[in-house]
Amino acid sequence: MTALDRTPTADRALRLWQDPALTVADRVDALLAELTLEEKIGQLGSRWIGNDMQEAEPEPGAETLNVAPMQDVFAASGTIPLEEAARHGLGHLTRVHGSAPVTPEQGAADVVRLQRAVVERSRLGIPAIVHEECLTGFTAYGATVYPAAIAWAATFDPELVARMAAAIGRDMAAVGVHQGLSPVLDVVRDYRWGRVEETMGEDPYLVSMLGAAYVRGLESAGIIATLKHFAGYSASRAARNHGPVPMGRRELMDMILPPFETAIALGGARAVMNSYSDVDGVPAVADSWLLTDVLRGEWGFTGTVVSDYWAVPFLATMHRVAADPEQAGVQALAAGVDVELPDTLGFGQHLAERVRSGELPEAVVDRAVRRLLTQKVQLGLLDPDWSPEGSVAGAASADLDSPGNRALARELAERSVILLTAGTALPLLGEGRPAPRRVAVVGPAAHDPRTFMGCYAFPNHVLPRHPGLGLGVEAPSVLDALRAELPDAEIRYEQGCEVRGDDRSGFAAAVTAAREADVCVAVVGDLAGLFGHGTSGEGCDAEDLRLPGAQADLLAELATTGTPVVVVVVSGRPYALGEVRAGAAALVQAFMPGEEGGAAIAGVLSGRIQPAGRLPVQIPRGPGGQPGTYLQPPLGTDSHGISNLDPTPLFPFGYGASYTTFEVAGLRISDTEVPTDGEFTATVTVRNTGGRAGEEVVQLYLHDVLAQVTRPVRQLAGFARVRLEPGGSTEVSFRVHADRTAFTGRDLRRVVEPGDVEVLVGTSAADLPCRGVVRLTGPSRYVGHDRRLVTPADVGADVGADVGADTGAGSAGRRQGGADAGQF
């Protein structure tokens, strides 16, 4: 009998750990008792067969690039064959679908082949968990490229994000994938950081709500969601990738950790991945306070902690807090890492010798193995009828870029585009102005759909090594989309310049095209890449916030033509647009809107689509003076005249214009005094005072007037998306528990203090016309993981007009923001 003969008919003495009638815990106990020490350790490792392809000769014209830090170094150092790696069992298989351009059928065949090798080579035949990346959709050839996470954040729409994540999860499950390495819950602290595009913005509450929604969607498809990067990665000194994080524990607890806590409590995340960085000198991958005391002791997390790729050996090679990868493995395992990815270096069989010598307690190995085996039982991998072929049964019919996927991608893209100012030029059609007859379309992002895609989108992540394959998905450019949007216009295209570099040879043609046109649409921004091969993305950090290359100078020359210039910025981070705005007739921000981004941008420009996106990060005025986000204490603002540097942004957090107008007024607070364990309701009236139907995002901010430590002058505490017809109005009510004012005090305990709290409601962090004060009374109250994490919002029916359609975020007559765990 082979290890694959696992059915009751093939094995009459069904092993206890195979029996689905037993509890998960009983099955794990039974299997753990059968494993030798070497087999336990085998479960803690992984194997990346796709990484071996780094040794292959690249195709002509291909870019040689890594998809993980120092991938080439580790590939060149050699890794053992899968058959040898799996001799005592294996925890994970790494990126079977996502390492090379393969069809779903080919990838599924690889999963079957590799799983069969894992099962047949090991004594007990325990399958491996297959994990893949899914930051902008399933990172696989031909799979839908959704907008980047920074664009999800611009929707302020948790339910839409949840629907997208569920679709991603279904595609992954169909082809034998069990775990997705997403979402990124890093809170932006410095816009120059290359991975801003992968985040959901600069506010912990917004990241928490959207991140928990993503987790909920992915987990609904049976895929293990992995929260990353735990924690502090986004706050590196000078925004350098992997740089040290000079952050105190209080700031870490208040600004960085809440999204992770919320995604576990409300989303049900089952995995966490460590950050590469050190915080105050302690690398996250070896930080027992973070990985064990907080994550498990305070938050009750029961899932697995997986290492970011090669983070374990980095303790020796990069952080230099371990003598070698083997000692690094001991440190990481003891701190709370359960599985090493993407290959086994630190968690190898040397651990058995250390257990037998007494250096490493076997209980530390057992706790990690138990967590991993629990997930394998939950996934059905240890059921008697599991088979490699059955695990990929959906591959034959899988359409990874289905019409349903594209519709979701389109909805996300359309709702994420942010109108910064319509100025005198937008919309191009309607509003009483004649339709343009001659349109110049210029700029390096105007006819390159790769600029719509993040660094973990397959076309930018892997396909540069395979230049003959194109994008693998249909992705019309802005130029393509404008030709469809404006069929009667004569459209002339000139690139002007590249995204990177200082070649200005195309300036003259672009300026001529603009001068001869009725309107010029200039599309500039980023091209994502990895480790210096792009202007945005992992390892593509910025010295300052000036548009990359010669693009700012191209815009300056276009502005001298006398033709109205509509500037569209397609980017992964916010760039300083103070000088750009001065010469622009209109300004639009589109954060990497994915494969459907071209039509979304064109629709907003024409006026067919009502702009609905809101800024999840500020737009700076000048390129220097970083870092800075809106979450500042008094001395971080522009008040007092103490410094000559003014941090006031060009456009504030939460801002977004539209082709109609809204009024938020009439704040009513249910109780102006509540105990420190009570709650109050803040209600405002929202009116559409313009001539078109549209959506507004009503935002609630709180300000602790007097506290034992400095507090932000305003911080987002709730939001609700509202759709109203022209002339329509509705009421939005936020139910605010006193827990929502909690912060980390001087003693590093989270406290709700008595005193005055300002309540501010409006449409951005800088437009808050509704203001009131609530006094919290009674004693100070210390709170923990069981505190209220969400501010529910109730949106009434549209009064005076037809009720708007459900937009997925909870429209008229629905609750938003979540009253209880799992509800948003």
Side-chain angles (χ1 to χ4, degrees):
M1 182 183 69
T2 70
L4 283 172
D5 294 325
R6 304 172 63 185
T7 64
T9 55
D11 184 0
R12 294 182 181 179
L14 186 67
R15 293 185 175 96
L16 288 176
W17 52 268
Q18 291 179 287
D19 188 355
L22 298 179
T23 66
V24 171
D26 286 344
R27 293 174 70 182
V28 171
D29 286 342
L31 179 52
L32 198 59
E34 284 199 44
L35 293 174
T36 66
L37 177 58
E38 286 75 12
E39 288 170 337
K40 292 176 183 177
I41 293 168
Q43 291 297 312
L44 307 183
S46 59
R47 186 69 183 90
W48 188 3
I49 299 301
N51 192 32
D52 298 343
M53 297 175 183
Q54 290 290 320
E55 301 173 5
E57 188 71 22
E59 298 178 15
E63 294 184 41
T64 301
L65 51 81
N66 290 341
V67 299
M70 299 185 68
Q71 179 184 1
D72 52 345
V73 174
F74 287 103
S77 66
T79 49
I80 62 176
L82 177 62
E83 290 74 17
E84 176 62 22
R87 184 162 62 93
H88 297 295
L90 191 69
H92 275 238
L93 285 166
T94 296
R95 298 194 64 178
V96 180
H97 291 271
S99 299
V102 296
T103 66
E105 293 85 354
Q106 291 169 330
D110 288 340
V111 169
V112 170
R113 175 176 58 85
L114 298 178
Q115 287 282 33
R116 187 170 290 276
V118 170
V119 169
E120 290 183 339
R121 186 67 177 122
S122 56
R123 179 176 68 93
L124 294 178
I126 302 170
I129 289 175
V130 178
H131 75 257
E132 297 282 354
E133 296 283 4
C134 52
L135 289 166
T136 63
F138 182 14
T139 304
Y141 183 60
T144 303
V145 180
Y146 294 94
I150 191 70
W152 313 343
T155 71
F156 275 68
D157 193 336
E159 280 301 326
L160 180 55
V161 171
R163 287 195 283 129
M164 175 198 66
I168 294 170
R170 289 191 294 270
D171 286 343
M172 296 173 77
V175 295
V177 179
H178 308 108
Q179 183 165 341
L181 304 186
S182 192
V184 170
L185 298 184
D186 299 304
V187 177
V188 174
R189 305 297 285 168
D190 189 329
Y191 306 135
R192 298 172 299 175
W193 188 48
R195 303 191 80 168
V196 168
E197 66 171 61
E198 300 174 43
T199 76
M200 287 173 266
E202 66 184 63
D203 180 84
Y205 185 71
L206 179 63
V207 178
S208 294
M209 294 298 96
L210 296 170
Y214 182 97
V215 169
R216 181 163 53 91
L218 200 67
E219 292 275 358
S220 73
I223 299 295
I224 296 172
T226 308
L227 313 180
K228 59 187 191 183
H229 305 85
F230 194 64
Y233 189 26
S234 58
S236 59
R237 184 179 284 122
R240 294 182 64 251
N241 192 38
H242 292 210
V245 177
M247 177 180 287
R249 190 162 283 186
R250 194 193 63 76
E251 184 180 355
L252 184 78
M253 294 170 71
D254 279 353
M255 294 295 167
I256 302 298
L257 297 188
F260 294 92
E261 182 180 11
T262 303
I264 291 168
L266 303 185
R270 289 184 284 169
V272 169
M273 176 178 277
N274 69 272
S275 162
Y276 283 120
S277 297
D278 70 83
V279 177
D280 197 22
V282 180
V285 72
D287 189 348
S288 60
W289 172 79
L290 187 66
L291 301 180
T292 298
D293 296 350
V294 173
L295 182 63
R296 300 190 186 278
E298 295 182 20
W299 298 352
F301 178 67
T302 59
T304 55
V305 174
V306 299
S307 77
D308 207 339
Y309 285 15
W310 294 298
V312 173
F314 281 174
L315 287 172
T317 61
M318 308 297 281
H319 293 291
R320 301 181 187 176
V321 297
D324 50 42
E326 289 79 11
Q327 188 183 89
V330 173
Q331 288 189 23
L333 186 64
V337 176
D338 302 312
V339 181
E340 182 183 10
L341 303 181
D343 270 310
T344 306
L345 293 175
F347 282 13
Q349 289 300 322
H350 71 91
L351 292 174
E353 302 169 10
R354 294 171 187 265
V355 169
R356 293 191 174 103
S357 70
E359 178 185 349
L360 178 68
E362 187 168 0
V364 173
V365 175
D366 285 352
R367 76 178 184 184
V369 178
R370 182 182 300 278
R371 292 163 184 162
L372 180 69
L373 293 180
T374 296
Q375 293 187 338
K376 290 191 174 185
V377 172
Q378 293 170 339
L379 291 166
L381 296 180
L382 304 187
D383 290 354
D385 59 352
W386 182 92
S387 69
E389 293 77 10
S391 72
V392 297
S397 60
D399 181 355
L400 300 185
D401 193 28
S402 67
N405 284 5
R406 294 194 69 98
L408 265 174
R410 186 179 313 117
E411 186 177 356
L412 276 153
E414 291 178 353
R415 294 170 71 80
S416 70
V417 177
I418 304 158
L419 177 64
L420 297 178
T421 174
T424 58
L426 293 181
L428 296 175
L429 302 179
E431 302 291 326
R433 64 173 59 92
R437 294 183 296 106
R438 295 168 300 172
V439 179
V441 179
V442 303
H447 197 38
D448 186 354
R450 294 177 302 160
T451 61
F452 301 162
M453 303 175 184
C455 71
Y456 271 82
F458 200 83
N460 286 337
H461 196 69
V462 174
L463 287 183
R465 292 179 54 84
H466 307 271
L469 293 179
L471 299 179
V473 293
E474 182 182 351
S477 68
V478 173
L479 175 63
D480 297 329
L482 279 173
R483 283 176 170 154
E485 198 79 28
L486 306 172
D488 298 326
E490 175 189 338
I491 295 180
R492 177 179 173 183
Y493 164 68
E494 295 291 344
Q495 184 182 30
C497 65
E498 300 281 352
V499 170
R500 298 198 295 172
D502 197 41
D503 183 357
R504 297 157 189 256
S505 59
F507 275 26
V511 168
T512 298
R515 185 175 290 118
E516 295 175 353
D518 297 323
V519 65
C520 173
V521 176
V523 191
V524 296
D526 279 322
L527 178 59
L530 294 159
F531 308 108
H533 288 264
T535 59
S536 175
E538 185 173 1
C540 297
D541 310 312
E543 291 184 354
D544 60 32
L545 296 176
R546 181 180 169 88
L547 283 166
Q551 294 180 92
D553 293 335
L554 173 63
L555 293 178
E557 293 208 16
L558 294 173
T560 66
T561 63
T563 299
V565 179
V566 176
V567 177
V568 180
V569 182
V570 181
S571 63
R573 64 165 63 83
Y575 284 104
L577 301 180
E579 293 183 0
V580 172
R581 184 188 186 185
L587 194 54
V588 173
Q589 173 71 55
F591 288 113
M592 292 184 174
E595 67 184 31
E596 290 284 347
I601 293 169
V604 167
L605 296 181
S606 73
R608 174 177 57 84
I609 296 171
Q610 174 70 283
R614 299 295 183 267
L615 286 172
V617 288
Q618 299 178 124
I619 299 292
R621 188 178 303 274
Q626 300 300 312
T629 71
Y630 92 96
L631 289 167
Q632 297 292 332
L635 284 177
T637 67
D638 65 339
S639 58
H640 314 300
I642 293 172
S643 171
N644 63 307
L645 298 179
D646 183 358
T648 304
L650 183 65
F651 295 100
F653 173 86
Y655 170 82
S658 71
Y659 298 137
T660 190
T661 54
F662 292 91
E663 177 188 71
V664 180
L667 175 64
R668 304 191 308 277
I669 297 175
S670 61
D671 300 279
T672 56
E673 287 195 8
V674 298
T676 52
D677 62 352
E679 67 177 28
F680 63 90
T681 299
T683 302
V684 294
T685 299
V686 187
R687 291 183 177 86
N688 182 343
T689 56
R692 289 185 57 172
E695 297 182 31
E696 183 58 271
V697 178
V698 182
Q699 302 161 41
L700 167 76
Y701 294 80
L702 299 179
H703 171 221
D704 193 338
V705 175
L706 181 66
Q708 60 180 275
V709 296
T710 61
R711 301 288 296 137
V713 295
R714 65 188 64 83
Q715 184 165 2
L716 184 70
F719 59 89
R721 182 173 279 279
V722 179
R723 174 177 170 81
L724 292 171
E725 296 297 318
S729 66
T730 191
E731 289 189 345
V732 178
S733 295
F734 297 98
R735 196 168 77 241
V736 186
H737 195 277
D739 287 358
R740 301 291 293 119
T741 70
F743 62 91
T744 301
R746 296 189 184 190
D747 59 1
L748 298 182
R749 290 191 293 171
R750 195 175 297 277
V751 63
V752 178
E753 285 188 331
D756 288 348
V757 175
E758 284 187 319
V759 179
L760 310 109
V761 185
T763 57
S764 78
D767 182 13
L768 299 167
C770 300
R771 296 172 178 248
V773 176
V774 171
R775 175 161 294 178
L776 301 181
T777 62
S780 294
R781 196 172 132 259
Y782 293 98
V783 295
H785 182 59
D786 58 349
R787 72 189 185 282
R788 304 289 180 90
L789 300 172
V790 178
T791 303
D794 292 306
V795 180
D798 189 345
V799 178
D802 293 335
V803 174
D806 187 354
T807 61
S811 61
R814 294 171 61 92
R815 169 166 291 172
Q816 302 180 47
D820 302 295
Q823 181 181 358
F824 295 86

